[in-house]
Amino acid sequence: MATTKPDLRTRVRRFYHHIRTNWPWTLYQRAGINNLVTNRKLYPVEGGDGEPCRLVRADYDALLALDVMERFRKYPFVFDKVLEYAVSIRLLGLEPGKVLLDAAGGFGEYAAAALELCGLERVYCLDAVRLPDRGDGVERLVGDVSAIPLPDASLDAISCHHSFEHFQGEADVAFIREIGRVLRPGGRACIIPFFLCNRYAEIRNVRGRALFDPKAMAVYDPFGTFPGWGPFERFARVYDRQAFEGRLLPAAEGRLDVSVHPVFFESEPCPDMSRNHHQPRLNGLLKALILTRRV
Ligand SMILES: C[S@@+](CC[C@H](N)C(=O)[O-])C[C@H]1O[C@@H](n2cnc3c(N)ncnc32)[C@H](O)[C@@H]1O
């Protein structure tokens, strides 16, 4: 069968796509930091091996149908952030009558979506930055995740999207301790994405900052988008198996059961990083960290 050669425009577009998705643009990729390796080689992790979370199109579409998610409808592919929200709705078992905190929740998009979709009794959104109240029923709190301004055992669920990796100093450890304090027995927290990688590293896109943990590999990456540029960003931390077990698990202090859950969408590992170009490739193979308060 005769095949027609693609025209120049198609070839240029394919070449650009190939470079963009396959070239290790960033120094942390050059340093070999890779999230993809984890699921293939590092599972199971002691104290961290969870059931896969299997999502289907209907989970995604239920979120997209909400007004607060309108900005994602224009994308002709499955958008990673919507998937993350769908995972935490599923794994947190959100249902009417429950009280949720979205920790480091930014503008409170997830908090508003969960409130509407799941008929929750009360939803808080905590962030270090004061952000406007949108009159959507979400109660905004300003503060640090390492000292959550809520009483002991006052929450059924805590979500944390795309923020845990930016927690500086000891805030990652302190947040896990706080989860153990503010969750009710049987309550759950979902941290997603959870960057359980092949290296323990602190990645910065600014120079001249000392390591928070001398055991971590220091990566200065002026090209990396992963650390972010917002207030409380310019920094991102990824964990290897030893750091997960040595740094994070002790913070659970015997109060929390801890598990790591790989995510599948329509039976495939996700998100599709050949389409989610707005995110660095490190986001490939989505995982959720689940902490459940022991009864
Ligand atoms: C990348 S944004 C993600 C926001 C939101 N969760 C989302 O998915 O759109 C990270 C957020 O974490 C917040 N943050 C970082 N460190 C924090 C801390 N120690 N305590 C509270 N919020 C923090 C930042 O202010 C920022 O809003």
Side-chain angles (χ1 to χ4, degrees):
M1 196 173 71
T3 51
T4 47
K5 205 173 164 192
D7 62 19
L8 181 65
R9 204 172 150 189
T10 306
R11 279 182 287 147
V12 168
R13 194 168 43 77
R14 283 188 190 161
F15 179 69
Y16 171 69
H17 179 77
H18 173 78
I19 293 291
R20 195 168 165 182
T21 52
N22 294 306
W23 189 258
W25 288 110
T26 58
L27 295 181
Y28 67 77
Q29 280 182 47
R30 286 196 174 274
I33 296 175
N34 185 349
N35 204 26
L36 296 173
V37 177
T38 314
N39 285 357
R40 296 192 196 126
K41 296 203 178 142
L42 297 185
Y43 274 97
V45 173
E46 196 182 318
D49 192 21
E51 278 289 301
C53 173
R54 299 185 186 281
L55 296 175
V56 293
R57 185 88 214 183
D59 300 309
Y60 187 85
D61 289 345
L63 270 163
L64 271 199
L66 304 175
D67 285 350
V68 66
M69 302 294 284
E70 201 264 332
R71 73 181 175 106
F72 297 106
R73 288 187 208 141
K74 62 177 179 282
Y75 296 105
F77 57 88
V78 174
F79 200 94
D80 61 320
K81 194 176 269 287
V82 185
L83 275 183
E84 290 159 18
Y85 291 177
V87 172
S88 50
I89 282 180
R90 164 81 63 86
L91 294 182
L92 289 174
L94 298 182
E95 56 189 41
K98 299 227 165 169
V99 180
L100 166 75
L101 166 71
D102 192 29
F107 285 99
E109 179 176 67
Y110 174 78
L115 181 63
E116 191 180 339
L117 196 64
C118 309
L120 303 170
E121 183 184 313
R122 205 160 195 182
V123 178
Y124 300 100
C125 175
L126 169 70
D127 202 280
V129 176
R130 182 177 297 279
L131 292 161
D133 188 329
R134 292 173 160 183
D136 50 14
V138 173
E139 294 179 43
R140 261 97 185 157
L141 305 170
V142 181
D144 200 288
V145 292
S146 45
I148 296 173
L150 289 170
D152 297 359
S154 56
L155 299 171
D156 300 294
I158 301 173
S159 52
C160 183
H161 301 103
H162 257 292
S163 300
F164 188 72
E165 66 276 17
H166 299 300
F167 293 166
Q168 304 196 21
E170 295 298 303
D172 56 339
V173 175
F175 178 49
I176 290 184
R177 281 206 201 95
E178 281 293 84
I179 289 173
R181 181 183 69 78
V182 291
L183 276 182
R184 294 181 181 139
R188 275 190 153 197
C190 176
I191 294 172
I192 183 166
F194 179 53
F195 292 98
L196 183 59
C197 295
N198 58 338
R199 300 268 159 74
Y200 175 37
E202 293 184 12
I203 306 168
R204 287 177 171 78
N205 54 18
V206 278
R207 256 190 209 290
R209 308 272 162 89
L211 276 170
F212 292 125
D213 182 350
K215 290 194 209 125
M217 171 186 185
V219 181
Y220 165 61
D221 186 349
F223 312 116
T225 55
F226 183 55
W229 285 278
F232 296 91
E233 293 185 19
R234 297 183 168 274
F235 166 83
R237 181 167 12 214
V238 296
Y239 304 86
D240 67 1
R241 182 179 170 151
Q242 285 74 27
F244 174 69
E245 291 174 359
R247 181 177 174 91
L248 297 184
L249 285 187
E253 291 174 333
R255 285 174 149 186
L256 297 164
D257 289 322
V258 182
S259 49
V260 179
H261 301 248
V263 180
F264 293 83
F265 181 72
E266 297 283 352
S267 307
E268 294 290 324
C270 60
D272 177 356
M273 294 311 295
S274 71
R275 310 211 68 195
N276 282 275
H277 293 309
H278 56 281
Q279 289 289 10
R281 286 173 60 200
L282 198 58
N283 286 272
L285 295 204
L286 185 59
K287 291 181 276 293
L289 177 66
I290 294 291
L291 305 115
T292 308
R293 179 79 162 85
R294 290 189 186 154
V295 179

